[in-house]
Amino acid sequence: MSSRDGWSATCAEHDRRAVRGGGVTGSRIYRRLGELTVALFLLIVFTPLPNLLATSLAIPPQLAPAEAIVVLGGGGVWPDGTLSNLSLRRALHGILLQQKGLAPLLVFSGFERDRHPTELEARADFARELGVPSQATLTVNTTTTRDEARRIQALLRPRGIRKILLVTDSQHMARAQLLFERAGFEVFAAPADDFSNISEHPEGRLELTRRVLEEILARLYYRLAGYL
Amino acid sequence: MDELFLLILLGLTSVGAYLIGKRRGLSWSEFHRAVGSMLESVGFSLVFFLINLGLGVSLILAIRALTPWFVSLYLADNAVLLILSFLQGLTFQWWRATSAREEGGQGIPR
């Protein structure tokens, strides 16, 4: 008997016994789900599928002179008050764009928790330390991407600002760009990633898949909620 | 390179486990059944994970809607949830298996 026949016979025996207990359908469904999960896991870990997915969803840079650079919140601060890698990466990219003269004003968004310094304070301090004048920096306390678009609209539109360079990670950019465009801005994407969209290692591809799925679910939620 | 290393490592330990199993007289048909049970455990774990995730997201949205507090949806995006869901799935599968053994044939054989 071949190995495949052995497997089929075992499954059939399993099902026969399970039928007596009324559990065959359940067992079969869970086994199929298990097979699907294991196959998907192997596909993610051992093939470049996550890289293809990530690069197809990512928005490339569209750098152009603007009136403000908007750096979206993300990652917050660590318990010792240090900016998280994601937040630091975005803040630094925004500061470099400002120092290159692409826009005079730098807007930091972030969520104010009880912890001090907050992400906003830490980002503003970081910008000052790197030579950005205080008057060229604005901060805005926000919660979600949708909230960021609304609050930054309320902050910048009265100042007559319409063209912005938007700094967030390349996966998040499509959703954020659409929300800011709906808020009346002309948006130039300035992605800053703390994780490459191309990973050459199994563990990296697993992490990349998590990030891609997270963004796909977020887009789905925003669409269902009517935000996009 | 990483992939090859992992495959060689897993291949070596799998062959080692097979040889130990053979020496102890474990049967090939039981191995097939064990793989089936493992797949069912993974299936249960996936279901637990999806339920945990769905419930987590629903709870966060309910807190946002019913209270003045803001809770981030990223709270539900946690690798620990995946691992704990796997333990839930494994436990549930073993519960079925041991119950079936006691009742003589329901659910999982043996």
Side-chain angles (χ1 to χ4, degrees):
Chain A
M1 190 189 288
S2 74
S3 132
R4 182 70 215 169
D5 292 342
W7 173 240
S8 305
T10 306
C11 292
E13 171 63 9
H14 185 148
D15 292 347
R16 268 197 300 281
R17 293 189 192 197
V19 162
R20 290 200 291 272
V24 64
T25 312
S27 283
R28 199 176 287 165
I29 288 172
Y30 292 116
R31 199 185 312 141
R32 292 289 171 266
L33 270 179
E35 285 170 356
L36 193 74
T37 308
V38 171
L40 206 60
F41 174 77
L42 295 175
L43 207 62
I44 286 166
V45 168
F46 290 111
T47 74
L49 179 71
N51 297 341
L52 294 173
L53 264 176
T55 45
S56 68
L57 291 175
I59 299 288
Q62 304 151 342
L63 300 183
E67 291 149 337
I69 298 158
V70 174
V71 182
L72 299 187
V77 287
W78 287 343
D80 66 356
T82 316
L83 280 171
S84 68
N85 289 345
L86 180 63
S87 190
L88 179 71
R89 182 75 75 137
R90 289 183 188 176
L92 184 61
H93 193 54
I95 292 164
L96 291 174
L97 292 173
Q98 200 260 0
Q99 290 182 343
K100 280 180 189 165
L102 283 168
L105 189 65
L106 192 54
V107 182
F108 288 122
S109 162
F111 180 40
E112 295 269 14
R113 291 174 198 274
D114 296 335
R115 183 179 296 162
H116 282 284
T118 62
E119 183 181 19
L120 290 176
E121 290 166 346
R123 281 176 151 187
D125 288 346
F126 183 54
R128 259 194 308 278
E129 282 168 25
L130 290 180
V132 179
S134 301
Q135 62 272 21
T137 309
L138 292 175
T139 58
V140 56
N141 179 24
T142 56
T143 51
T144 62
T145 310
R146 178 170 166 254
D147 189 44
E148 287 180 307
R150 281 192 310 200
R151 292 191 190 227
I152 291 168
Q153 177 195 38
L155 182 76
L156 296 185
R157 293 311 300 273
R159 294 166 188 253
I161 292 173
R162 212 180 69 78
K163 285 185 182 180
I164 60 166
L165 273 158
L166 189 62
V167 181
T168 185
D169 58 83
S170 55
Q171 296 293 321
H172 181 219
M173 185 63 79
R175 184 161 52 102
Q177 190 167 10
L178 203 55
L179 287 168
F180 276 84
E181 281 170 355
R182 287 201 172 176
F185 292 107
E186 187 180 344
V187 181
F188 303 112
D193 288 314
D194 71 322
F195 201 84
S196 171
N197 282 321
I198 294 178
S199 180
E200 295 175 337
H201 309 286
E203 197 182 353
R205 287 194 284 267
L206 208 54
E207 170 62 15
L208 197 55
T209 304
R210 188 181 72 82
R211 289 172 182 240
V212 166
L213 285 179
E214 183 184 287
E215 186 50 34
I216 288 173
L217 288 175
R219 286 187 199 181
L220 188 69
Y221 168 63
Y222 267 55
R223 286 207 183 277
L224 288 175
Y227 304 153
L228 286 181
Chain B
M1 183 64 190
D2 289 36
E3 293 84 350
L4 193 64
F5 176 73
L6 286 177
L7 290 173
I8 289 172
L9 197 65
L10 290 167
L12 284 174
T13 51
S14 298
V15 169
Y18 174 74
L19 291 176
I20 290 170
K22 263 271 204 189
R23 187 176 289 178
R24 293 192 176 180
L26 302 185
S27 80
W28 185 239
S29 64
E30 292 297 323
F31 175 75
H32 280 145
R33 200 169 285 150
V35 172
S37 289
M38 179 275 287
L39 290 172
E40 279 176 31
S41 299
V42 173
F44 278 121
S45 301
L46 179 70
V47 171
F48 270 109
F49 175 67
L50 293 176
I51 292 172
N52 284 327
L53 193 66
L55 192 63
V57 168
S58 306
L59 278 173
I60 290 169
L61 292 179
I63 291 170
R64 279 191 192 177
L66 303 173
T67 73
W69 300 311
F70 172 76
V71 183
S72 173
L73 277 171
Y74 291 113
L75 200 65
D77 172 28
N78 196 324
V80 175
L81 190 65
L82 190 65
I83 295 166
L84 293 178
S85 300
F86 178 68
L87 295 181
Q88 282 181 307
L90 210 60
T91 307
F92 192 74
Q93 164 71 354
W94 274 103
W95 188 22
R96 285 178 83 229
T98 49
S99 299
R101 211 171 294 162
E102 280 168 15
E103 290 165 22
Q106 184 174 347
I108 305 298
R110 301 285 302 170

